[in-house]
Amino acid sequence: MLPELAFSSPGPYLLQWGPLNIRWYGLIIAIAVLTGLFLAQSLAPRRNLNPDLFGDLLLWLVVGAIPLARLYYVVFNWSAYRDRPLEILAVWRGGIAIHGAILGGLLALLVFTRLKRLAFWQLADVLVPPLALGQAIGRWGNFFNSEAYGSPTDLPWKLFIPLANRPEAYRNFEYFHPTFLYESLWNMGVFSLLLVLFLRWPHLKPGTLACIYAIAYSIGRFWIEGLRLDSLTLGPLRIAQVVSVVAIVGGCLGLYWIYSGSTKQSALDTSQK
């Protein structure tokens, strides 16, 4: 019989002292970003890139990712902000969407590489292992906010949700699936896979790791999203699941294009000899 492992958040605040409030969520996101930066700078020399480049890139990624992550969340959760628009700016309270952050980061990376005349896919392949690790760390911010949890459960591992954070239909339930933990562990697995591929096979074609990240992360997200009670929706559709399917298909097509294109080019080169 498995031992019981019940999680219970100590609350969203790390420190409250007069007007000074420090939230766990903001601290954990900051730790995730800085850890990702350190890892990217450590990996950069293995692809003949200047580590200092990623210090400059970080500002671009933050400026691109955070506003898009918040906008994405607000658009698909507009009913919660329609009567209190100033709350839209309260990013430190939670409510950012990783798919929006990834989209904003991609746009920022595209502009950065164009301006700096750098290879987009080469940088993307260096960034996806830190991204997966950062996601694994960042999901713990949801734990402290008692959010991003799943349906009620009696499994040995479960998450206690305070009454104030439960949906009206589930007020009589105390324990829920810790989907934040599921995704954190899944992202650690994705990070491990990407890091092994990055270190053991340094000559993979540019874009390979980015495509593998899109597929691997999205498979787990699709499954985990099906357990959540607070999914962003558009009608009957769970947006994260729709985006995950698109990312899986896009990643598979990307790998096919990368490697079938190179095979065709090699065959053409051989025939011309």
Side-chain angles (χ1 to χ4, degrees):
M1 186 175 180
L2 293 173
E4 185 169 293
L5 182 62
F7 294 88
S8 181
S9 169
Y13 294 101
L14 170 63
L15 176 65
Q16 289 182 287
W17 187 35
L20 176 64
N21 294 321
I22 300 178
R23 286 178 172 260
W24 280 106
Y25 190 93
L27 176 63
I28 288 173
I29 294 300
I31 291 172
V33 169
L34 294 176
T35 301
L37 173 61
F38 174 79
L39 179 59
Q41 290 179 323
S42 300
L43 296 178
R46 294 176 178 271
R47 293 298 183 269
N48 298 317
L49 293 170
N50 183 355
D52 295 338
L53 180 71
F54 291 87
D56 297 334
L57 176 58
L58 176 62
L59 178 61
W60 286 75
L61 294 177
V62 169
V63 170
I66 292 181
L68 262 292
R70 185 60 167 172
L71 178 62
Y72 186 104
Y73 181 85
V74 169
V75 166
F76 291 111
N77 197 31
W78 178 242
S79 60
Y81 296 94
R82 182 169 43 232
D83 299 326
R84 47 192 185 111
L86 291 180
E87 287 292 313
I88 294 174
L89 302 177
V91 179
W92 56 89
R93 296 182 182 174
I96 59 176
I98 186 60
H99 283 134
I102 292 172
L103 177 60
L106 282 173
L107 293 174
L109 180 62
L110 181 61
V111 173
F112 183 83
T113 52
R114 289 289 180 88
L115 291 176
K116 300 290 185 178
R117 299 177 183 271
L118 298 168
F120 175 88
W121 290 113
Q122 185 183 25
L123 262 69
D125 282 348
V126 174
L127 288 173
V128 286
L131 172 59
L133 178 59
Q135 287 176 267
I137 296 171
R139 272 300 171 194
W140 283 86
N142 300 131
F143 164 68
F144 288 100
N145 279 354
S146 294
E147 61 185 6
Y149 52 87
S151 55
T153 183
D154 288 324
L155 289 170
W157 57 92
K158 52 192 176 182
L159 174 66
F160 174 78
I161 296 297
L163 183 61
N165 295 77
R166 299 175 205 164
E168 187 65 33
Y170 296 91
R171 295 182 71 81
N172 293 329
F173 295 90
E174 292 186 332
Y175 294 99
F176 298 78
H177 277 286
T179 49
F180 84 92
L181 178 62
Y182 298 167
E183 189 165 339
S184 181
L185 293 174
W186 183 272
N187 288 333
M188 281 300 299
V190 174
F191 161 68
S192 300
L193 170 64
L194 294 172
L195 189 63
V196 168
L197 292 174
F198 186 96
L199 297 176
R200 294 288 299 275
W201 287 276
H203 301 298
L204 290 173
K205 295 186 179 301
T208 299
L209 292 183
C211 290
I212 291 174
Y213 163 80
I215 297 167
Y217 168 66
S218 298
I219 289 172
R221 182 61 189 271
F222 183 91
W223 165 64
I224 294 166
E225 195 67 23
L227 296 174
R228 286 179 58 170
L229 296 177
D230 61 345
S231 296
L232 300 177
T233 59
L234 183 61
L237 301 176
R238 292 177 184 248
I239 298 302
Q241 288 187 319
V242 173
V243 174
S244 294
V245 170
V246 171
I248 291 168
V249 173
C252 291
L253 291 176
L255 289 176
Y256 175 79
W257 177 75
I258 290 169
Y259 286 95
S260 68
S262 62
T263 300
K264 291 176 182 177
Q265 184 62 46
S266 297
L268 179 62
D269 293 342
T270 301
S271 66
Q272 291 176 342
K273 289 182 180 180

